[in-house]
Amino acid sequence: MILSGKTALVLGGARSGKSAFSERLAQATGLERHYVATGRAYDDEMRERITRHQDDRGPSWVTHEEPVELVHTLGVIDRPGRVVLIDCLTLWVTNLMMEGEDVAVRSAELAAKLSGFEARIIFVSNEVGLGIVPDNRMAREFRDHAGRLHQRIAAVADEVFFVAAGLPLRMKG
């Protein structure tokens, strides 16, 4: 598949193939590729995941690590002729929650700024609302914040994809 719009949201479950699909979308643009990593390495397993993602991408990507100030970072690296892949929004939501930030305000800010960026932008995020209702308040709040953020970004994105078992389904665009 090839991006037909300027902005895309790619949703899927864990190990669904959403990151690999998003990277292929970015590569197919032929533009200078920038990767914004929102994850934090709190343990050895996460450090290994991050290293594996970096190795899989290779040296043709410019990587920016930004766990919280996503809108600011996008503003700094925004240029015509670039494609920016943000992986992932759900880790960003986690980081905002852990920092005590107002997730609704930060989500609204991101959605409002999206149309003003000149680079092509691809967001990757975990669809966490398809499972059971979590048994604790924080997990329910996380699920709700992620779902609302996905709705906000999907509303303003040109394209939305859902990936399952490595297979992308175009939902919008």
Side-chain angles (χ1 to χ4, degrees), residues 12-76:
R15 295 285 172 245
S16 63
K18 64 190 174 299
S19 291
F21 171 70
S22 298
E23 290 170 16
R24 289 192 304 273
L25 283 177
Q27 289 170 344
T29 67
L31 301 173
E32 180 184 314
R33 294 186 299 272
H34 287 253
Y35 185 96
V36 178
T38 61
R40 288 179 166 161
Y42 288 113
D43 56 36
D44 289 340
E45 188 271 338
M46 189 62 170
R47 277 187 279 283
E48 289 174 18
R49 281 179 183 260
I50 290 170
T51 299
R52 195 169 42 251
H53 270 276
Q54 291 168 340
D55 291 345
D56 288 348
R57 281 194 311 275
S60 63
W61 290 80
V62 178
T63 300
H64 310 267
E65 295 185 12
E66 183 47 65
V68 176
E69 297 302 330
L70 184 55
V71 172
H72 172 76
T73 297
L74 286 171
V76 169

Side-chain angles (χ1 to χ4, degrees), residues 71 89 92-93 96 101-114 144-150 152-153 156:
V71 172
L89 288 177
W92 182 61
V93 168
L96 292 174
E101 295 281 340
D102 187 326
V103 178
V105 167
R106 299 296 291 269
S107 297
E109 177 188 23
L110 177 61
K113 300 265 185 181
L114 190 55
D144 293 348
H145 285 310
R148 288 185 198 107
L149 173 59
H150 293 161
R152 285 179 187 265
I153 299 300
V156 296

